[in-house]
Amino acid sequence: MLEYLFDSFNWSGPEGITARIIQHIWYTFAALGLSALIALPIGLRIGHTRRGAFLAINIGNAARALPSLGLLMIAVLLTNQIGFLPVLIALVALGIPPILTSTYAGLSGVDPATIDAARGMGMTGREILTKVEIPIALPLIISGLRAATLQIVSTATIAALVSLGGLGRYVVDGLKLRDFPQMFSGALLVALLAILLDLLFALAGRITVSKGLRVD
Amino acid sequence: MTWIGDNLSLIWQQLSEHIYLAILPVIFGLLIAIPLGYVATRFAWLANPLIALGGVLYSLPSIALFIVLPVLLGTKVLDRINIIIALTIYAVSLLIRNVIDGLRSVPPDVRQAAIAVGYGPARRLLTIDLPIAVPVIFAGLRVVTVANISMVSVGAVIGIGGLGELFTLGFQKDFLTPVVVGVVLSLLLALLADLLIVTLQRFLTPWARVVASVKEA
């Protein structure tokens, strides 16, 4: 099953494994970046003002049940194009809910007494947000980003269904050709990439979260 | 709209297939996670490795599991059993944490009282520990169920799986209706399943309502 992976011929060229991994990472980060750009400000705003939480949480939870494959197909049929845009739409829709809900949860978990204390020291709303609330909420915010990354990286395989690249190519092409070693290799690479990114986020959490907040 | 009327039996078939593929793993997952979690609370050194293993398993992409499993198990790639086993693995890996946390949330004095009254370990687990752990376990159950319902459709990429088939069908025919029907049904299914679990939880923990109403008063 692994001969496909260990054949150096399969690793080079524009359709080689190296190129596919780079494409896969590019789709993942593009979608993650856009999701964060949308979800973080909304989550921070809701968490800071504590308004609109009910709506955001429920929409976030309902969106979790959205099948990304169906979303991709709808995006393709509506935008009338096959390619990056529909994939991005589907992946961003997947990435927003975990980032939004955990950012909100992180901020709303900050002890009100802490915020009062900060206000008592003369901090403005913006200072409270950036110097108190965000640092305290950081572990949860990162775990939201982490969950979003995992889902996006694994779902980015569906890009291959609309003739884009990425590691999904091996899965989709392998299925068509009944080439199971190829499918297996693609699946294995996606899994490894997911675990690698997960470890990176764990590391990022260790570096950025204040020492005083560490539980372990 | 006429497409829906003409294809009711197909829609119904895919929907029931979807329910079967999504719900069965949740039940299996629960049946595996509860004893495993119980063992982990009895032998405390097991708990952290189990939770860590669950975290790693949960981070595996579903599509990867759907494909890698047949190789490991010797089943056919297009066998539905792969989906069921893959989703069961997800269910266990997520629920194990909730079961352990839930069983740990039983107050020590409650446990001691039960022992003092003469409850054996089995009776204590079934009538004291598990009911107290229900809210924490069910929180995980809700996440797993909703996630499973949306993950089943990924199976359509490799040619299996309920409502996902409507997505590929609509895509191939360049026709929006089946895709929308699939997405809407999948959302409704998730909503309904979630509601069912919440209702079941209320039914299983009648005291929670009493506590809440006392607090409100």
Side-chain angles (χ1 to χ4, degrees), chain A residues 161-196:
Chain A
L161 287 175
V162 290
S163 61
L164 282 189
L167 293 167
R169 276 263 67 92
Y170 300 113
V171 174
V172 173
D173 296 346
L175 184 71
K176 270 193 199 119
L177 304 168
R178 301 269 139 179
D179 179 357
F180 294 123
Q182 189 185 345
M183 269 175 97
F184 185 76
S185 306
L188 206 63
L189 287 169
V190 177
L192 289 177
L193 191 59
I195 291 175
L196 192 73

Side-chain angles (χ1 to χ4, degrees), chain B residues 100-124:
Chain B
I100 293 174
D101 286 348
L103 290 177
R104 277 179 180 164
S105 75
V106 179
D109 47 348
V110 172
R111 180 169 293 142
Q112 277 160 11
I115 297 172
V117 182
Y119 277 34
R123 193 164 163 215
R124 219 166 61 231

Side-chain angles (χ1 to χ4, degrees), chain A residues 25-51:
Chain A
I25 293 177
W26 154 239
Y27 302 152
T28 303
F29 280 125
L32 181 71
L34 202 54
S35 309
L37 217 59
I38 297 169
L40 277 179
I42 302 177
L44 289 177
R45 182 164 188 93
I46 295 172
H48 182 65
T49 61
R50 315 211 169 194
R51 252 179 290 165

Side-chain angles (χ1 to χ4, degrees), chain A residues 33-175:
Chain A
L34 202 54
S35 309
L37 217 59
I38 297 169
L40 277 179
I42 302 177
L44 289 177
R45 182 164 188 93
I46 295 172
H48 182 65
T49 61
R50 315 211 169 194
R51 252 179 290 165
F54 180 78
L55 200 68
I57 297 301
N58 283 302
I59 291 176
N61 281 336
R64 267 177 220 271
L66 270 179
S68 28
L69 189 64
L71 219 56
L72 173 67
M73 302 305 174
I74 289 183
V76 167
L77 296 173
L78 284 184
T79 59
N80 234 335
Q81 55 172 304
I82 281 189
F84 192 49
L85 183 68
V87 170
L88 199 62
I89 293 174
L91 293 181
V92 167
L94 190 69
I96 289 176
I99 302 177
L100 179 64
T101 45
S102 64
T103 303
Y104 160 74
L107 251 65
S108 69
V110 178
D111 189 346
T114 312
I115 295 170
D116 281 348
R119 191 163 290 130
M121 286 169 62
M123 283 193 181
T124 61
R126 173 165 292 272
E127 281 175 326
I128 292 176
L129 181 67
T130 55
K131 291 187 181 160
V132 178
E133 288 179 311
I134 291 179
I136 294 180
L138 205 54
L140 264 174
I141 296 176
I142 290 176
S143 93
L145 287 168
R146 198 169 162 177
T149 311
L150 280 182
Q151 296 199 344
I152 291 174
V153 81
S154 80
T155 313
T157 33
I158 60 176
L161 287 175
V162 290
S163 61
L164 282 189
L167 293 167
R169 276 263 67 92
Y170 300 113
V171 174
V172 173
D173 296 346
L175 184 71

Side-chain angles (χ1 to χ4, degrees), chain B residues 166-203:
Chain B
L166 298 179
F167 303 156
T168 33
L169 180 87
F171 182 59
Q172 278 154 8
K173 294 193 172 165
D174 198 7
F175 182 38
L176 197 59
T177 315
V179 189
V180 173
V181 169
V183 170
V184 169
L185 282 179
S186 171
L187 275 179
L188 284 179
L189 188 61
L191 203 72
L192 192 70
D194 198 43
L195 202 69
L196 260 171
I197 296 176
V198 174
T199 313
L200 186 66
Q201 181 183 342
R202 279 176 69 95
F203 177 73

Side-chain angles (χ1 to χ4, degrees), chain B residues 8-20 161-166:
Chain B
L8 272 181
S9 70
L10 172 77
I11 296 172
W12 176 246
Q13 186 203 332
Q14 302 296 9
L15 178 64
S16 43
E17 170 100 355
H18 200 96
I19 296 175
Y20 169 82
L163 296 169
E165 304 265 339
L166 298 179

